[in-house]
């Protein structure tokens, strides 16, 4: 297992960080979070074009750049740091991995190039109740209809469900749980935006009412765990980017703010809090990086994926809370940017399973 | 490359390893072959190998059942410090005995009046004729009762500012001017000591670095001590194998390394948690499972952090204070582990000695963990270091500038 980023990976990080600093300052985040679609189509085109962002982790045979989970982790971390508003998690990561890991060769060729170049926005609709992706939670029904299938039932918490062109939906037939491809604009698909606390992560509820669907991969054999692990690992990397941003912001502010004739950064009580936070952020980063490394090495990543998600999302919440606290009154205002990250921290804490659920999942994956 | 290293070690072991040699003879052979400290420079017993290759060497040694270089205690800090600040003569004189285990070392830094504030040391070293004469007292010096060499921080100039008047020496412990008294700890062991110097003698060639340059040498020792808290936390058992060398090794563990016998316990024995939870049935308690998982997550993350840090160190991409992250993580892990062991053991946590679970180990964990956040620089000091050196926050206000003799002291 590698324990360091290569020079090339560091260089990729720098280039992407510059791009995001330019395209995704808090001003842009605020503008986009107030829109229904939640992202800027021009910037998305540039990110996918110049930067090749959406196809980073997809094989070249399907229009991707052929990199792996470690590079994807870097991309996610930088996006998390800047709260980049884009359908990256939904389309590139979640749907990208779902098609890659579940689809037939023909389906990968049909769907992945569009995801990789950003022209198709896809997402996954798996969750019905909150929490982990558990097969037993899935009740949406799949029945054969002519050459294809039709779906009935309701999905919740679908990331970018309002804007997606294609939906990858988990549904149950007699053979068990399978994944299906659904054209999001087909008759029988009814989407309604959820009122989200974190407006940088748009969610939708989707009702399927005899919605036409095509089987993705093999009936009854949805590789939900493998997709989930891959998604979790990159999500954990996004989360540590956000946590680092909160730590940086808190440190920076305490060096500016003067009370009692000195900067508040000179108070030991504050230095010690931030030193403790630094330790926790660094450990969570190490966990997220090594989980990505393990996935890249082709090892089973279930335990480390859950480990990283639990560690990262708790630290993010803590960092956001500390950042507000150390800002004092201004930290509680709408005008100050900290709440944008605080809300992302909250949504990241519970999305795809709470820290407690992941601690238990980790133990079970370890055979404990 | 790693495979070549493995093959070479294996071939070498096939012709040389013999459990009926004496321990010192065997370790001497290891040193001469460069396998005792493969990461050290070639000029001084090493082969300049990267961390992954070093791991491979120790795996090969272990696989053959061969004993490795002496490692316990302060000797590793002595070696790291000498490698960085010693002159060639000093490296030649001291490094070999570190690896063979013939010499044992102790760290003579803390004093009754200065612990966290190490630079406030008042033990004095004065030049008389061609020698340094040492007077004063040190305290909390682990293993000083077994050591033949001490790493001594002493004041050589009282008129300079405190950090500039210190010098760093290697002192011979077995001499009339050095008196060592053991101190009993809260866990019942007596690993640390107080050490009194009355006209003790240091040879001039045992000044490490320059006169007045002792602080920067001490900082090197401390940095290695901090990052070392992340390593060697599990108890080693050797399965009672037969052969002269194993007998001598067991003797070393029982006597010279006795002061360290509780060190795995002070780190919290994370390795025992699941076994214990199965023994007591706590493994089925969802609340305890959550705490166990928290502990395992913290522990694994800290190990990954430490591995990344070592890699970054090799590539010279560190800022030098990162060892404090590992040290604070070690404190957190130890505290959480003692809570988890308590939850798993329940009321049995009231017992000690043979009545305590796991042959007394659980009790020993509970009463040893408080050492971790004090020894090697307290948690509060690590936090100061991180805030000031990694987060670039303002330094603490100073009340100790100017000539040392004028500063307020205990
Ligand atoms: C098991 C064990 C083994 C040891 N082995 C050795 C050894 O081999 N050699 C050796 O030289 N020493 C050794 N020590 C000593 C150890 O390094 C010191 O105890 C430690 O550095 C603290 O110093 P002190 O005991 O004087 O406490 P003090 O420095 O008096 O500290 C008391 C309290 O004040 C806090 N404090 C002090 N300064 C600050 C500050 N600036 N900001 C905030 N809080 C502060 C401390 O964190 C602590 O909580 C050992 C100690 C232990 C427990």
């Amino acid at each position: 297992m590698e324990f360091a980023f290569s020079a090339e990976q560091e260089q990729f990080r720098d280039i992407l960080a510059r791009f995001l600093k330019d395209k995704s300052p808090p001003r842009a985040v605020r503008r986009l979070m107030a829109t229904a679609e939640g992202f800027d189509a021009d910037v998305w085109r540039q990110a996918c074009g110049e930067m090749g962002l959406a196809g980073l982790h997809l094989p070249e045979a399907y229009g991707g750049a052929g990199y792996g989970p470690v590079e994807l982790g870097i991309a996610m971390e930088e996006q998390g740091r800047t709260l980049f508003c884009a359908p990256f998690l939904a389309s590139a990561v979640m749907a990208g991995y779902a098609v890659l890991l579940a689809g037939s060769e023909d389906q990968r060729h049909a769907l992945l190039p569009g995801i990789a170049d950003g022209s198709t926005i896809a997402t996954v609709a798996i969750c019905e109740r909150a929490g982990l992706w558990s097969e037993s939670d899935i009740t949406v029904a799949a029945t054969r209809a002519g050459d294809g299938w039709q779906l009935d039932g309701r999905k919740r918490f679908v990331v970018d469900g309002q804007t997606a062109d294609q939906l990858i939906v988990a549904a149950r037939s007699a053979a068990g749980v399978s994944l299906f491809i659904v054209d999001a604009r087909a008759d029988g698909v009814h989407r309604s935006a959820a009122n989200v606390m974190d407006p940088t992560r748009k969610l939708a509820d989707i009702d399927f009412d005899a919605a036409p669907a095509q089987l993705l991969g093999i009936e009854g054999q949805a590789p939900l765990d493998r997709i989930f692990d891959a998604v979790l690992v990159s999500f954990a990397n996004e989360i540590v980017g956000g946590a680092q941003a909160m730590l940086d912001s808190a440190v920076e502010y305490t060096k500016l703010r003067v009370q009692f004739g000195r900067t508040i950064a000179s108070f030991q009580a504050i230095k010690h809090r931030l030193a403790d936070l630094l330790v926790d952020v660094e450990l969570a980063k190490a966990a997220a990086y090594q989980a990505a490394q393990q996935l890249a090495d082709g090892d089973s990543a279930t335990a480390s994926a859950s480990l990283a998600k639990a560690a990262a999302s708790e630290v993010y919440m803590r960092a956001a809370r500390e950042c507000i606290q150390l800002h004092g009154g201004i930290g509680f205002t709408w005008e100050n940017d900290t709440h944008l990250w605080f809300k992302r921290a909250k949504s990241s804490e519970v999305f795809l399973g709470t820290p407690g659920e992941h601690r238990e999942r980790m133990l079970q994956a370890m055979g404990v | 490359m790693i495979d070549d290293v493995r093959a070479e070690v294996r071939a070498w072991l096939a012709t040389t390893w013999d459990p009926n040699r004496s321990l010192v003879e065997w370790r001497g052979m290891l040193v001469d072959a460069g396998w005792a400290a493969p990461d050290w420079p070639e000029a001084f017993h090493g082969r300049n190998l990267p961390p992954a290759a070093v791991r491979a060497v120790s795996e090969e040694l272990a696989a053959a059942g061969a004993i490795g270089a002496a490692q316990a205690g302060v000797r590793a800090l002595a070696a790291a410090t000498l490698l960085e600040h010693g002159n060639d003569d000093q490296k030649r004189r001291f490094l070999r005995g570190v690896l063979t285990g013939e010499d044992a070392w102790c760290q003579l830094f803390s004093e009754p009046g200065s612990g966290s504030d190490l630079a406030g040391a008042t033990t004095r070293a004065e030049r008389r004729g061609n020698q340094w004469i040492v007077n004063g007292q040190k305290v909390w010096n682990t293993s000083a009762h077994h050591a033949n060499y001490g790493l001594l921080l002493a004041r050589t100039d009282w008129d300079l500012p405190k950090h500039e008047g210190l010098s760093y020496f290697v002192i011979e412990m077995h001499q009339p001017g050095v008196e060592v008294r053991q101190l009993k700890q809260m866990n019942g062991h007596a690993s640390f000591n107080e050490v009194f110097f009355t006209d003790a003698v240091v040879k001039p060639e045992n000044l490490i670095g320059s006169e007045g340059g002792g602080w920067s040498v001490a900082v090197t020792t401390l940095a290695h001590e901090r990052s070392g808290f992340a390593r060697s936390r599990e108890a080693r058992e050797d399965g009672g194998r037969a052969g002269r060398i194993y007998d001598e090794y067991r003797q070393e563990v029982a006597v010279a390394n006795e002061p360290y016998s509780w060190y795995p316990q002070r780190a919290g024995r994370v390795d025992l948690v699941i076994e214990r939870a199965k023994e007591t049935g706590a493994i089925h308690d969802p609340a305890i499972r959550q705490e166990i998982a928290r502990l395992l997550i913290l522990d694994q993350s800290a190990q990954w952090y430490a591995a990344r840090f070592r890699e970054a160190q090799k590539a010279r991409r560190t800022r030098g204070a990162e060892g404090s992250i590992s040290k604070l993580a070690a404190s957190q892990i130890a505290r959480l582990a003692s809570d988890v062991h308590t939850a798993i053991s329940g009321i049995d946590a009231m017992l000690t000695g043979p009545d305590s679970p796991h042959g007394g180990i659980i009790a020993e964990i509970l009463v040893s963990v408080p050492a971790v956040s004090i020894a090697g620089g307290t948690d509060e000091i690590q936090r100061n270091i991180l805030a000031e050196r990694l987060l670039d926050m303002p330094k603490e206000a100073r009340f100790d500038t100017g000539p040392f003799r004028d500063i307020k002291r205990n």
Side-chain angles (χ1 to χ4, degrees):
Chain A
M1 183 142 89
E2 292 289 330
F3 291 102
F5 292 115
S6 67
E8 193 192 4
Q9 288 165 341
E10 295 286 8
Q11 197 182 6
F12 167 63
R13 182 192 293 283
D14 289 346
I15 293 169
L16 180 59
R18 248 175 292 154
F19 176 83
L20 292 171
K21 191 168 178 220
D22 182 38
K23 304 293 182 194
S24 184
R27 179 167 32 84
V29 174
R30 282 177 182 270
R31 179 170 55 80
L32 294 170
M33 76 187 197
T35 63
E37 58 280 10
F39 72 103
D40 180 325
D42 279 342
V43 173
W44 177 242
R45 255 190 301 277
Q46 287 171 41
C48 298
E50 290 166 33
M51 306 287 311
L53 210 55
L56 196 62
H57 57 306
L58 299 173
E60 284 167 302
Y62 313 120
Y67 292 104
V70 176
E71 290 81 5
L72 181 64
I74 293 172
M76 285 292 271
E77 185 180 359
E78 294 307 315
Q79 293 179 61
R81 189 194 303 273
T82 52
L83 295 179
F84 181 48
C85 293
F88 188 85
L89 173 66
S91 192
V93 179
M94 301 177 88
Y97 270 130
V99 173
L100 184 66
L101 296 173
S104 68
E105 193 59 22
D106 284 349
Q107 287 171 325
R108 293 179 190 169
H109 279 292
L111 287 166
L112 290 176
I115 290 178
D117 70 17
S119 59
T120 301
I121 293 175
T123 189
V124 300
I126 292 173
C127 191
E128 295 177 21
R129 305 194 289 156
L132 309 176
W133 289 358
S134 152
E135 284 207 0
S136 59
D137 285 349
I138 289 169
T139 65
V140 167
T143 43
R144 284 190 191 274
D147 285 349
W149 294 78
Q150 73 172 47
L151 304 186
D152 290 276
R154 166 167 245 234
K155 291 290 181 184
R156 302 195 59 204
F157 307 105
V158 180
V159 186
D160 293 326
Q162 276 291 82
T163 39
D165 308 309
Q166 298 286 336
L167 309 172
I168 311 294
V169 186
R172 183 177 292 284
S173 67
V177 172
S178 323
L179 292 172
F180 295 87
I181 308 164
V182 176
D183 180 341
R185 293 183 184 81
D187 286 344
V189 178
H190 307 290
R191 306 188 271 179
S192 55
N195 289 310
V196 283
M197 184 223 278
D198 167 17
T200 65
R201 182 136 281 156
K202 307 288 184 197
L203 301 174
D205 290 342
I206 305 185
D207 286 302
F208 299 92
D209 181 8
Q214 207 192 317
L215 181 66
L216 178 73
I218 302 166
E219 190 189 352
Q221 295 186 25
L224 285 190
D225 276 337
R226 284 180 62 211
I227 302 168
F228 192 52
D229 287 341
V231 168
L232 275 180
V233 167
S234 74
F235 189 38
N237 279 275
E238 180 194 276
I239 292 173
V240 295
Q244 181 72 54
M246 288 290 84
L247 171 62
D248 292 345
S249 162
V251 170
E252 185 185 280
Y253 182 75
T254 62
K255 290 180 191 170
L256 297 174
R257 175 71 176 168
V258 173
Q259 291 290 281
F260 301 95
R262 53 201 272 206
T263 63
I264 58 171
S266 68
F267 292 113
Q268 197 182 59
I270 288 176
K271 289 166 69 176
H272 283 195
R273 283 174 86 139
L274 289 173
D276 281 337
L277 186 58
L278 170 69
V279 172
D280 290 357
V281 171
E282 285 296 330
L283 297 193
K285 276 161 61 181
Y289 298 163
Q290 294 312 130
Q293 195 64 58
Q294 219 157 51
L295 199 63
D297 292 347
D299 299 339
S300 164
T302 301
S304 56
S306 279
L307 184 161
K309 167 63 165 74
S313 60
E314 270 193 354
V315 170
Y316 194 1
M317 201 59 240
R318 190 162 107 62
R321 215 175 258 147
E322 291 281 17
C323 191
I324 290 179
Q325 178 67 21
L326 295 178
H327 274 77
I330 190 115
F332 193 64
T333 63
W334 189 267
E335 181 199 343
N336 183 268
D337 292 325
T338 312
H339 71 100
L340 307 181
W341 277 269
F342 179 93
K343 290 167 185 171
R344 173 63 76 77
K346 184 50 76 182
S347 75
S348 304
E349 183 186 1
V350 296
F351 185 55
L352 300 178
T354 61
E357 287 169 317
H358 281 288
R359 283 190 283 269
E360 183 56 40
R361 184 173 185 263
M362 178 195 79
L363 288 183
Q364 287 178 19
M366 292 167 62
V368 174
Chain B
M1 185 201 57
I2 306 255
D3 288 340
D4 296 343
V5 170
R6 281 187 191 280
E8 201 182 336
V9 182
R10 223 173 292 165
W12 182 78
L13 284 169
T15 58
T16 50
W17 167 244
D18 173 2
N20 291 312
R21 289 185 203 281
S22 84
L23 187 56
V24 169
E25 181 198 4
W26 163 248
R27 282 188 175 142
M29 294 170 72
L30 263 183
V31 172
D32 293 336
W35 298 127
D39 52 331
W40 288 12
E42 286 171 18
F44 296 99
H45 318 304
R47 290 172 170 245
N48 212 7
L49 293 182
V54 174
R55 269 196 303 279
V57 172
S58 35
E59 281 164 19
E60 290 301 328
L61 289 174
I67 307 277
Q71 278 178 341
V74 175
R75 56 167 50 82
L77 302 182
T81 307
L82 289 167
L83 281 168
E84 207 163 313
H85 297 278
N87 58 34
D88 283 358
D89 166 60
Q90 291 163 342
K91 290 179 193 169
R92 254 191 306 276
R93 283 190 290 133
F94 295 124
L95 290 175
R96 188 182 173 87
V98 163
L99 296 173
T100 61
E102 286 163 282
D103 296 323
W105 293 71
C106 67
Q107 183 187 25
L108 304 168
F109 283 11
S110 304
E111 298 185 5
S114 58
S116 300
D117 182 19
L118 266 188
T122 58
T123 292
R124 57 175 74 221
E126 290 155 309
R127 216 196 275 273
R128 274 192 225 150
N130 188 26
Q131 286 178 324
W132 293 96
I133 302 298
V134 180
N135 283 284
Q137 188 200 335
K138 296 285 172 179
V139 73
W140 322 128
N141 313 109
T142 302
S143 226
H145 56 306
H146 288 300
N148 53 324
Y149 288 123
L151 301 169
L152 173 70
L153 187 65
R155 187 157 305 278
T156 44
D157 192 325
W158 294 64
D159 295 316
L160 290 173
K162 66 196 266 194
H163 293 85
E164 293 163 34
L166 296 167
S167 301
Y168 195 108
F169 302 94
V170 172
I171 187 169
E172 289 176 17
M173 297 295 287
H174 298 149
Q175 57 166 305
V178 176
E179 189 196 342
V180 178
R181 292 188 206 147
Q182 280 181 267
L183 294 168
K184 189 170 177 181
Q185 298 147 194
M186 66 172 274
N187 61 0
H189 290 270
S191 317
F192 60 31
N193 302 272
E194 37 187 0
V195 178
F196 299 86
F197 306 99
T198 316
D199 290 335
V201 176
V202 176
K203 292 186 266 185
E205 62 267 28
N206 282 6
L207 171 70
I208 309 297
S210 59
E211 181 178 345
W215 181 245
S216 73
V217 186
V219 165
T220 299
T221 312
L222 294 171
H224 283 278
E225 187 173 13
R226 273 158 209 156
S227 44
F229 270 81
R231 285 195 283 275
S232 68
R233 298 169 309 147
E234 276 164 37
R236 279 246 205 101
E237 271 131 60
D238 85 315
R241 281 172 293 198
R244 170 179 176 186
I245 199 163
Y246 294 120
D247 293 338
E248 290 184 12
Y249 179 67
R250 277 188 287 270
Q251 180 77 4
E252 176 180 83
V253 169
V255 180
N257 295 348
E258 189 282 330
Y260 307 108
S261 64
W262 55 280
Y263 276 30
Q265 280 66 267
R266 82 173 181 181
R269 293 304 296 271
V270 177
D271 60 315
L272 282 182
V273 161
I274 289 174
E275 180 186 337
R276 284 283 304 145
K278 285 180 178 160
E279 266 169 40
T280 65
I283 199 78
H284 304 296
D285 179 332
I288 294 182
R289 288 176 70 82
Q290 284 288 313
E291 294 310 303
I292 291 174
R294 269 182 206 284
L295 174 62
L296 297 182
I297 289 172
L298 199 57
D299 186 57
Q300 179 65 72
S301 303
Q303 285 181 39
W304 279 334
Y305 177 82
R308 296 188 74 90
F309 174 52
R310 279 196 292 279
E311 211 64 41
Q313 256 179 330
K314 279 276 158 190
R316 305 210 169 278
R317 280 198 311 227
T318 58
R319 296 177 61 193
E322 290 89 342
S324 297
I325 292 184
S326 288
K327 175 122 209 288
L328 282 169
S331 294
Q332 258 191 69
I333 290 165
R335 275 192 298 269
L336 183 54
S338 80
D339 289 348
V340 169
H341 276 300
T342 304
I344 289 171
S345 295
I347 190 126
D348 282 348
M350 294 179 79
L351 305 174
T352 189
D355 289 347
S356 160
H358 221 82
I361 291 287
I362 298 304
E364 188 156 290
I365 293 168
L366 304 184
V367 295
S368 297
V369 157
V372 174
S373 45
I374 300 171
T378 66
D379 277 10
E380 288 73 24
I381 295 303
Q382 308 313 319
R383 292 186 182 108
N384 282 347
I385 291 172
L386 289 180
E388 293 172 16
R389 305 218 357 236
L390 290 190
L391 300 178
D392 296 316
M393 296 174 80
K395 297 215 183 312
E396 293 294 288
R398 297 280 301 265
F399 303 90
D400 57 354
T401 52
F404 182 73
R405 64 171 80 251
D406 303 334
I407 296 171
K408 178 170 177 179
R409 297 198 288 274
N410 283 302

